Amino acid sequence: MTCETPRASESGAFRRSRARQAGTGDIEEQTMSATTLNGATSESTEGGPDPASSHIADLRQRIDEIDAAIIALWKERAAISQEVGKTRIASGGTRLVLSREREILNRFRTELGADGTQLGLLILRAGRGPL
Ligand SMILES: C=C(O[C@@H]1C=C(C(=O)O)C=C[C@H]1O)C(=O)O
């Protein structure tokens, strides 16, 4: 007998199912299924880690690496941006250059859409520090 592994998209600590009750219309109920902490199914019959669980663990490791890189780059960018601002002010310039900020926001919007604009605004704000 083959043991089918649920797709990652189907596994989760909570599975949603819809039930219809006479006279009350649709109600939504959540049922808890047997899952591990990472939301995949529990161990296979051989006792080793479930293939979905180990795939999710691998993917999460990469997510953690990416998050660490984003955080490091965020901090580095903010520090550089503040240094540019201080250098410009020291030479009689302005702290901000809105035309340059507009260029940056356009790039984020072109690549990522409306969320890109929001992300770009947050990134620019991080570099400003207290105004
Ligand atoms: C860093 C600069 O100074 C400010 C900060 C910017 C940024 O964080 O990207 C962009 C424009 C300026 O408002 C710059 O002029 O390049």
Side-chain angles (χ1 to χ4, degrees):
M1 195 187 84
T2 53
C3 180
E4 273 203 34
T5 305
R7 293 151 60 103
S9 60
E10 292 167 348
S11 59
F14 294 93
R15 294 200 179 146
R16 286 160 179 264
S17 65
R18 297 184 72 79
R20 182 176 284 277
Q21 277 191 341
T24 61
D26 278 349
I27 58 154
E28 195 169 90
E29 70 181 27
Q30 294 188 323
T31 53
M32 184 99 98
S33 61
T35 59
T36 60
L37 271 181
N38 71 11
T41 55
S42 53
E43 296 202 336
S44 68
T45 47
E46 284 78 33
D50 182 276
S53 290
S54 98
H55 187 44
I56 288 170
D58 288 347
L59 294 171
R60 282 185 171 177
Q61 198 177 340
R62 184 61 192 138
I63 284 175
D64 288 346
E65 288 170 4
I66 291 169
D67 287 349
I70 290 171
I71 290 166
L73 287 170
W74 176 285
K75 289 180 176 176
E76 183 186 356
R77 191 196 189 284
I80 291 172
S81 176
Q82 283 168 24
E83 191 178 334
V84 171
K86 280 182 195 153
T87 305
R88 196 166 37 235
I89 286 170
S91 68
T94 57
R95 173 121 185 226
L96 304 178
V97 177
L98 296 184
S99 58
R100 166 79 175 149
E101 295 201 357
R102 209 172 299 119
E103 269 175 31
I104 290 168
L105 289 177
N106 283 340
R107 204 154 59 215
F108 274 87
R109 197 199 55 230
T110 301
E111 290 293 328
L112 303 173
D115 284 350
T117 304
Q118 296 305 310
L119 179 60
L121 285 168
L122 286 173
I123 288 173
L124 288 172
R125 194 176 74 180
R128 287 179 181 180
L131 282 177

